[in-house]
Amino acid sequence: MKKLVSLLFHRVVLVAFFLLIQVAVLVVMLLRFNNYFLPFYGVCVAISLFAVFWIVGRQSDPAYKIAWIIPILVFPIFGGLFYLLFGGNRLSSRTRRKMEGTDRKMEEVLRPDYKADELSSLGEDAVHQARYLEHIAHCPVYGNTETEYYPLGELCFTRMVEELKRAERYIFVEYFIIEEGKMWDTILDILKDKAQEGVDVRVMYDDIGSMFTMPRDYARELEARTGIKCCVFNPFVPILSLRLNNRDHRKIMVIDGKVAFTGGINLADEYINEKVKYGHWKDSAIQVRGEAAWSMTVMFLTLWDYVREKATEDYDAFRPPELPEIQAPGFVQPYTDNPLDCEAVGQAVYLNLINKARRYVYITTPYLIVDDSTNTALCIAAKSGVDVRIMTPHIPDKRVVFELTRSHYQPLLEAGVKIYEYTPGFVHAKNFAVDDKYGTVGSINLDYRSLFLHFENGVWLCNDPSIRDIRADFLSTLEQCQSVTLAQCRALPWWRKAVRAVLRVFAPLM
């Protein structure tokens, strides 16, 4: 009986219940308008036409526009109203001011570190990419930094534990998903001990990402019980609203401003293969040690202050003392992507990597839901003789999304792109390696939500030794993959092709 009561009052059940009530109210309101059908229909059509013209005039991805225009024209009564609720990144003036303040703070604190021109010896391509991230994302490029690439989540977890135990001043933790289990419990025990020692420990997680893994009041209880400062990003309110789309998908752990981790892994047991969900979980991460860790510290602090509504925190108090000289040959540039500033930084980084490739581009991604720009870039690179290879999962975590990923195979294969599926399980890594010269590791998937709707982060690498480690990991993992052929795609039954065609049209809305 207790389990039944607990289930009935579970947060997810209550949220679904309140959303259903809102939908029911909308339906009842529409039915009550039956007596005024013609004028009501006319108003709805006018709203839908206005929405279509508004969509066409907006600066957004063409596929995103098409995905909205079709349902609006097919269902003019509901389409326009639905778009007004969910169709764009409209911000209240208060939210806009807060986000602008965050950007200003990033620029104010990190501008003294800008040094893109120091990459001139590596060519203009490197300078232009570094300069873009400095001027647009306010994220400097750093030397005096070394990196360590982890081809599996469990390897990164081991190093995380070692570094957390060395913390002396502060620990900042920001993840999309946190779930109780071996991974989080081990980390939490260290965080508790460090908080008792006087270390400033802060934890932030996304409310939607952790809705099924954490109790509703977990953040408040953790802070009250342990002294660990904890907050939830964009708390889910059961009201039909566009704000539901903007999630904190970043993965950041910073220790004393000297060491930082990021990549694909969240703080849950499937990411270290302690729990099997979709076969073997193939993920990756990277450790940044040295000057570049400060940039990730500021990334965390600006979003933390945005959530906690703090505007007076002294960031200089967190700046690490002068770091010892690190004999690292390359450059490291952590970067972040904000979905509310109309600048798709993650997509720009990926497109730049593809367009600048001369010999090879190796891509690992859990979701291959590419927009027209990325599809064109990949096809042109392959047709130009660049060795373009993409690795995706063979065992899906979401069936519809997996079918959508496969729907993008054929045009790429026809252009000469090679595609491989990881047969032991699910690939969750988000990596690029290009020509042994450029690379990136981070949280950004190749899908619309990650590229246009989520808060994301990554690390751009130039001439860094970890690029060769990413390439070596990709090539060794190919031994456990099966190659996807053009003949397989063409041999699909017509109805399967039709389903995939429909999915591709509506991909930006998924």
Side-chain angles (χ1 to χ4, degrees):
M1 188 64 182
K2 281 186 177 180
K3 287 186 177 179
L4 178 60
V5 173
S6 177
L7 178 64
L8 289 175
F9 287 94
H10 191 277
R11 184 182 175 199
V12 176
V13 175
L14 292 175
V15 164
F17 176 71
F18 285 118
L19 289 176
L20 284 173
I21 288 177
Q22 292 172 67
V23 172
V25 169
L26 287 174
V27 171
V28 170
M29 289 175 63
L30 291 174
L31 292 175
R32 291 295 298 270
F33 273 109
N34 274 341
N35 295 333
Y36 310 97
F37 178 76
L38 288 178
F40 175 69
Y41 183 79
V43 170
C44 288
V45 169
I47 292 173
S48 293
L49 286 174
F50 171 79
V52 168
F53 286 120
W54 177 263
I55 292 168
V56 171
R58 290 192 65 199
Q59 290 185 341
S60 59
D61 184 77
Y64 188 77
K65 294 180 180 182
I66 293 171
W68 273 110
I69 289 172
I70 290 175
I72 288 174
L73 295 180
V74 173
F75 305 104
I77 293 182
F78 302 101
L81 294 172
F82 199 69
Y83 177 78
L84 292 178
L85 283 172
F86 298 103
N89 274 355
R90 299 179 307 277
L91 299 178
S92 67
S93 57
R94 179 174 178 272
T95 301
R96 186 179 296 107
R97 285 195 301 271
K98 285 177 64 181
M99 288 310 308
E100 289 172 351
T102 297
D103 284 346
R104 283 196 303 272
K105 190 68 174 179
M106 280 275 293
E107 184 175 17
E108 172 192 330
V109 175
L110 293 176
R111 175 173 281 281
D113 294 348
Y114 289 5
K115 49 174 166 288
D117 292 339
E118 292 185 10
L119 277 66
S120 57
S121 63
L122 301 174
E124 285 301 308
D125 288 347
V127 174
H128 291 161
Q129 176 62 81
R131 190 181 291 151
Y132 169 83
L133 289 175
E134 287 186 344
H135 291 174
I136 302 302
H138 314 305
C139 297
V141 62
Y142 293 90
N144 199 34
T145 301
E146 61 183 359
T147 64
E148 185 175 358
Y149 172 75
Y150 306 104
L152 290 171
E154 44 266 48
L155 298 177
C156 181
F157 174 52
T158 300
R159 293 291 286 123
M160 282 178 168
V161 170
E162 293 173 359
E163 294 297 337
L164 286 169
K165 289 179 179 178
R166 297 191 182 107
E168 297 176 348
R169 297 176 59 211
Y170 58 83
I171 298 171
F172 298 154
V173 176
E174 176 187 346
Y175 283 84
F176 182 60
I177 297 172
I178 295 178
E179 182 176 13
E180 294 174 324
K182 177 182 177 180
M183 188 179 192
W184 175 239
D185 292 348
T186 301
I187 290 173
L188 183 58
D189 286 342
I190 299 172
L191 299 184
K192 290 177 181 176
D193 291 342
K194 289 298 178 180
Q196 290 179 354
E197 293 172 12
V199 173
D200 183 357
V201 181
R202 307 186 189 189
V203 175
M204 179 164 53
Y205 60 89
D206 186 82
D207 202 31
I208 292 287
S210 301
M211 178 177 286
F212 295 93
T213 61
M214 286 294 180
R216 182 184 60 185
D217 297 323
Y218 184 81
R220 189 184 307 116
E221 292 174 359
L222 181 66
E223 187 159 341
R225 189 175 69 249
T226 66
I228 295 171
K229 300 170 188 171
C230 188
C231 64
V232 180
F233 181 86
N234 196 3
F236 182 77
V237 179
I239 297 174
L240 297 175
S241 167
L242 177 68
R243 288 186 71 247
L244 304 181
N245 280 328
N246 301 134
R247 311 313 317 173
D248 180 9
H249 195 247
R250 306 195 310 185
K251 286 91 176 167
I252 294 174
M253 179 182 288
V254 180
I255 299 145
D256 293 342
K258 301 177 182 178
V259 177
F261 294 88
T262 190
I265 65 171
N266 285 293
L267 304 185
D269 282 357
E270 63 265 29
Y271 295 88
I272 58 172
N273 286 295
E274 283 292 323
K275 180 170 70 175
V276 177
K277 292 185 74 173
Y278 312 107
H280 183 264
W281 194 285
K282 168 65 179 167
D283 219 321
S284 68
I286 193 166
Q287 179 196 146
V288 173
R289 179 184 296 275
E291 290 182 357
W294 170 240
S295 182
M296 295 177 69
T297 307
V298 177
M299 284 181 204
F300 175 89
L301 286 170
T302 51
L303 199 61
W304 175 273
D305 290 350
Y306 170 81
V307 174
R308 302 276 280 213
E309 299 190 348
K310 294 174 65 177
T312 58
E313 195 156 28
D314 179 14
Y315 285 27
D316 284 338
F318 298 95
R319 190 182 291 273
E322 188 171 341
L323 298 170
E325 189 70 26
I326 295 173
Q327 299 301 319
F331 290 87
V332 179
Q333 191 167 22
Y335 61 93
T336 184
D337 194 358
N338 169 5
L340 306 179
D341 62 2
C342 300
E343 184 72 33
V345 172
Q347 183 191 43
V349 171
Y350 286 171
L351 287 174
N352 227 334
L353 288 168
I354 297 166
N355 292 332
K356 298 300 185 286
R358 298 295 177 265
R359 294 189 292 115
Y360 76 84
V361 180
Y362 295 161
I363 301 170
T364 309
T365 180
Y367 313 117
L368 187 64
I369 307 172
V370 292
D371 66 331
D372 188 61
S373 299
T374 307
N375 181 80
T376 301
L378 289 167
C379 290
I380 290 175
K383 291 175 181 178
S384 301
V386 177
D387 181 11
V388 182
R389 307 188 194 186
I390 303 174
M391 185 184 301
T392 63
H394 184 69
I395 298 177
D397 65 335
K398 306 176 185 71
R399 287 285 178 184
V400 173
V401 175
F402 185 54
E403 195 69 18
L404 185 53
T405 287
R406 285 179 159 179
S407 75
H408 288 78
Y409 285 175
Q410 186 166 332
L412 295 170
L413 291 168
E414 289 173 343
V417 176
K418 304 179 186 72
I419 300 175
Y420 305 86
E421 291 185 350
Y422 180 67
T423 53
F426 184 66
V427 169
H428 193 252
K430 308 98 166 45
N431 302 335
F432 274 60
V434 177
D435 295 348
D436 289 357
K437 185 175 183 179
Y438 305 116
T440 186
V441 179
S443 68
I444 309 172
N445 296 318
L446 273 171
D447 65 8
Y448 288 85
R449 301 197 69 80
S450 225
L451 294 173
F452 301 111
L453 296 176
H454 290 166
F455 288 79
E456 302 280 3
N457 77 290
V459 176
W460 180 71
L461 306 167
C462 180
N463 263 30
D464 187 88
S466 286
I467 299 167
R468 291 187 288 276
D469 294 335
I470 298 168
R471 181 200 62 184
D473 176 36
F474 184 94
L475 293 175
S476 65
T477 306
L478 283 186
E479 298 174 5
Q480 299 174 279
C481 295
Q482 67 179 28
S483 176
V484 180
T485 67
L486 187 56
Q488 290 172 332
C489 293
R490 289 175 173 169
L492 290 173
W494 68 267
W495 61 267
R496 191 83 170 266
K497 293 180 180 178
V499 169
R500 289 184 177 181
V502 172
L503 288 174
R504 285 190 66 173
V505 171
F506 295 103
L509 306 184
M510 296 183 182

